[in-house]
Amino acid sequence: MVRAPTVEPDKKAPWLEAAGYPEHDTLISLFAAGHWRRSILSDDLLVVTRAIAEFHRRFPLQAPLRGTSRTWLSTTIEATARQVEGLANPAISAG
């Protein structure tokens, strides 16, 4: 068995590492968008449904981060959005 040489990523060029993980970038961009997080956390079922549809549209079906359980995925999306929102807006989340 022939192994390719292992090369450490250049720590000064994080964009090179990010380019290898497009599904990570997609998730980060979704959760970084305040309007999308607020939609996921909305009490309006139609708004939540549209936000979940946006997630499915932008996040590839074959992505290994997706998992296989729809219940797990929905719960994880909401929990992550709540956590990010709490970190981004601690005063609002505490109130």
Side-chain angles (χ1 to χ4, degrees), residues 8-22:
E8 290 292 317
D10 180 1
K11 303 289 186 205
K12 295 176 187 162
W15 57 269
L16 289 175
E17 188 174 336
Y21 301 98

Side-chain angles (χ1 to χ4, degrees), residues 42-65:
S42 173
D43 291 331
D44 185 334
L45 184 58
L46 183 58
V47 171
V48 174
T49 302
R50 287 180 180 155
I52 292 288
E54 176 70 8
F55 178 91
H56 287 296
R57 186 183 69 73
R58 293 183 59 190
F59 196 60
L61 289 174
Q62 67 278 12
L65 295 175

